Amino acid sequence: MPDGTGPVPGPDGAPRCPWALSAPEYVAYHDEEWGRPVHGDDALYERLSLEAFQSGLSWITILRRREGFRAAFAGFEIAKVARFTDADRERLLADTGIIRNRAKIDATLANARVLAEWAPGELDALVWSHAPGPDARPAPRTLGDVPAVTPESTALAKALKKRGLRFVGPTTAYALMQACGLVDDHLAGCVARRRP
């Protein structure tokens, strides 16, 4: 899809970000979830884990396996995943309902163990402390106006890595920021863009 593409009419005629129109799962994710504020350590751990699994793949691959991921990783409850054993790891590596990437599975397990040591609300506070101000940049008009990395995502990635988390580079951190509503990258004119 060309970077100069602005909002495109969806199945109901409403203008949407063009990336959201290639599959029904994308439309629902775009309209109901992407860019809306997410709080809570477990919820943010899930999004961070899924963004890491998405690295190098299309997001639709993750969306279509999301329930499989949730089943495999105990609903992404940090305390439960932190107690996973070597047998659980082997189970995950054999689970066709998820992406069976050893490095990503190991990072997801290691991250849960690190986060289990944090105080309740600490991940939420750390992530949201990196949210730029609402007027930090104008609403993107085309896909070409949406960055892959920002100074805030670079700082968030550094903060997460410094605290022991893995598979959290600046691009993954920015995808997390977009998905969890720290930034609103719905294009200007998109039906899902937040109203001031």
Side-chain angles (χ1 to χ4, degrees):
M1 190 164 300
D3 280 353
T5 305
V8 175
D12 59 358
R16 287 180 175 80
C17 301
W19 63 262
L21 300 176
S22 63
E25 296 94 338
Y26 268 154
V27 175
Y29 177 70
H30 169 272
D31 289 3
E32 300 164 16
E33 190 171 353
W34 192 75
R36 296 185 188 262
V38 173
H39 286 280
D41 293 344
D42 290 340
L44 289 167
Y45 168 64
E46 175 185 357
R47 298 330 189 277
L48 183 63
S49 300
L50 293 177
E51 293 297 346
F53 273 102
Q54 185 272 330
S55 180
L57 303 170
S58 68
W59 183 243
I60 196 71
T61 302
I62 303 303
L63 279 181
R64 289 180 174 157
R65 295 180 185 212
R66 193 170 188 184
E67 291 311 312
F69 275 108
R70 285 176 170 163
F73 286 97
F76 288 98
E77 290 184 43
I78 294 167
K80 288 182 179 178
V81 179
R83 292 191 300 269
F84 276 20
T85 64
D86 288 342
D88 290 307
R89 180 178 178 270
E90 293 307 311
R91 172 186 55 81
L92 292 167
L93 288 168
D95 189 337
T96 58
I98 65 170
I99 306 301
R100 295 174 293 169
N101 178 295
R102 185 177 307 275
K104 294 175 182 181
I105 289 170
D106 287 346
T108 303
L109 299 178
N111 289 347
R113 291 180 190 115
V114 168
L115 292 170
E117 300 297 319
W118 292 19
E122 196 170 349
L123 176 61
D124 189 294
L126 176 64
V127 168
W128 278 91
S129 73
H130 289 83
D135 299 321
R137 72 173 200 269
R141 303 194 79 62
T142 69
L143 294 177
D145 296 334
V146 179
V149 173
T150 63
E152 294 87 0
S153 75
T154 300
L156 175 57
K158 285 181 182 176
L160 292 169
K161 284 180 183 178
K162 184 177 180 181
R163 299 288 306 274
L165 298 184
R166 295 164 41 184
F167 238 100
V168 288
T171 302
T172 297
Y174 193 66
L176 175 75
M177 294 172 80
Q178 291 174 303
C180 295
L182 280 76
V183 296
D184 184 359
D185 275 345
H186 286 286
L187 301 182
C190 172
V191 68
R193 185 156 180 89
R194 282 184 245 145
R195 306 290 186 258

